[in-house]
Amino acid sequence: PIDRAIEKLTRVYHGDVSLLLDVVRQCIVFESMQDLLQAMRSIQDDGELEVVRIKNRMSKKYDARHSGGYRDCLVNVRIKTEMTKKLGLDNHVCEVQLILKQFMVHRTLDGHKRYVAF
C-alpha cells in the first residue's frame, strides 16, 4: 500500500524515490528450494529481463533475526521488450519475491509488523 511506500521513503530512503523498487511487485511461493532456484535461473536467463538487484535473504549469511524470522529472495528487474520501450516503461523497476511456503507464516499481519519494526 501507499502508506508503506511513504513510510519507507521517509524512514529508510530519506526521500530518495529512486531507491523505492517494490511499488510493482509479485510474490511467487515455492514448495522446495530446488524450485525456487530454478525460477531464479529462469529469471536470470530471460533475455527480456534485466536483473537490477538481488536481495538474498535465503543465504546462510543472512541473519533472519533482522527480519523477524522472515526469509525470501527479492529480485528487482526491468522488463525490456519492444512494447515496454514503446510505452516508455523499459526503465521501470519491478520486484519479484521468491519465497518458500514454510516462510509464508511470517507474512501474516503480526509477522509483517515484526519485520517493519526492524
Side-chain angles (χ1 to χ4, degrees):
I2 193 147
D3 292 344
R4 177 69 178 131
I6 292 169
E7 178 184 344
K8 284 172 81 172
L9 277 172
T10 305
R11 198 175 113 192
V12 181
Y13 302 139
H14 309 289
D16 186 351
V17 295
S18 70
L19 298 174
L20 191 62
L21 301 178
D22 62 351
V23 174
V24 174
R25 70 174 170 221
Q26 183 62 45
C27 177
I28 306 172
V29 181
F30 299 91
E31 293 286 335
S32 71
M33 185 59 118
Q34 291 79 14
D35 292 340
L36 188 148
L37 290 171
Q38 180 58 47
M40 175 63 79
R41 283 193 280 286
S42 295
I43 290 169
Q44 291 177 315
D45 292 343
D46 190 321
E48 293 185 335
L49 296 177
E50 174 191 346
V51 175
V52 176
R53 176 183 78 160
I54 298 173
K55 189 174 190 180
N56 185 2
R57 294 189 287 211
M58 299 295 291
S59 169
K60 291 179 183 179
K61 296 176 185 177
Y62 178 73
D63 186 351
R65 291 177 294 183
H66 296 294
S67 60
Y70 182 77
R71 289 181 175 269
D72 62 8
C73 186
L74 307 179
V75 185
N76 296 109
V77 298
R78 288 188 180 106
I79 301 171
K80 299 289 193 173
T81 65
E82 289 303 317
M83 181 61 76
T84 59
K85 290 175 190 172
K86 182 178 178 180
L87 294 172
L89 298 172
D90 55 317
N91 285 317
H92 182 78
V93 178
C94 306
E95 181 174 278
V96 181
Q97 300 171 337
L98 308 176
I99 182 170
L100 291 174
K101 187 175 181 179
Q102 70 193 62
F103 290 110
M104 283 302 289
V105 67
H106 295 291
R107 289 193 57 151
T108 64
L109 186 56
D110 289 338
H112 188 65
K113 285 180 183 175
R114 285 194 308 274
Y115 171 74
V116 170
F118 291 96

